[in-house]
Amino acid sequence: MSVIRKLLDYNRQWAERLKSEDPAFFAQLAENNAPELLWIGCSDGRVSPDRLIGRPLGKIFVHRNIANIFAMHDLNCLAVLQFAVEVLKIPDIVVCGHYGCAGIRQAIEGHSVEPVDLWVEPVRHLARRQRDELANITDPVEKTNRLAELNVAHQVRNICRSAIAQQAWEIGQPLAVHGLIYHVEDGLLHEVMPSVTSAETFRALTE
């Protein structure tokens, strides 16, 4: 059996199972597009947001890329953020990294100009800025994991610096940005930093 046939068969079984449990499930899902949060995470297949936080279909607006980067120059990132905040009026944004991230490791070890290395260059730049702290960590795994934490905090700050977030706060629109990291080995999420809920709390964070 081909891979695509397996996918289609699984999809059919999944849809039939949901309809047997709730015949109106898909009709209600089609009528309701009101996500509770925007999830900016890593493309790693082991980090699935709906499973990590137990939310049903339709409750999470998702953007994923290598090393969960919110790149200020990337139209994809900016368009997702703008649509989430200005159109869907999503009140909570989660940036979620994970320990053992290959993208973070690539930022530390990579030296070529291949697309992946170009994409993770902001993480490499962050590592250079934090070289004193990272130099004190001798274990390579611990160093990668610490950089993963620093990267989450950095991406939270990037979102908060954006004109999209700043404008939302200026007009009084509820918006909170959270930084989490996921431990693949035990399935648990951990806060990396305090949540940012206003322009004032962001300024206090950067002072």
Side-chain angles (χ1 to χ4, degrees), residues 88-184:
L88 298 175
K89 307 296 183 184
I90 292 175
D92 289 281
I93 300 170
V94 170
V95 178
C96 183
H98 67 98
Y99 295 128
C101 180
I104 299 295
R105 189 163 57 248
Q106 179 71 14
I108 294 175
E109 300 174 357
H111 302 290
S112 69
V113 291
E114 297 297 323
V116 172
D117 279 322
L118 293 174
W119 176 253
V120 299
E121 177 58 30
V123 182
R124 189 174 294 115
H125 178 69
L126 175 64
R128 289 193 291 267
R129 288 173 49 194
Q130 302 293 333
R131 65 170 62 90
D132 291 342
E133 176 183 351
L134 294 173
N136 292 323
I137 304 174
T138 56
D139 182 85
V141 174
E142 291 183 8
K143 181 175 295 189
T144 300
N145 288 344
R146 178 54 183 154
L147 183 54
E149 294 174 341
L150 293 169
N151 180 54
V152 167
H154 184 65
Q155 305 314 323
V156 167
R157 291 184 175 92
N158 279 346
I159 292 170
C160 294
R161 289 189 188 97
S162 72
I164 298 164
Q166 291 291 323
Q167 183 177 5
W169 285 325
E170 185 177 342
I171 64 176
Q173 181 177 334
L175 183 66
V177 189
H178 318 274
L180 303 177
I181 197 154
Y182 174 63
H183 202 309
V184 179

Side-chain angles (χ1 to χ4, degrees), residues 23-32:
F25 177 83
F26 288 107
Q28 293 172 350
L29 186 66
E31 294 175 358
N32 179 25

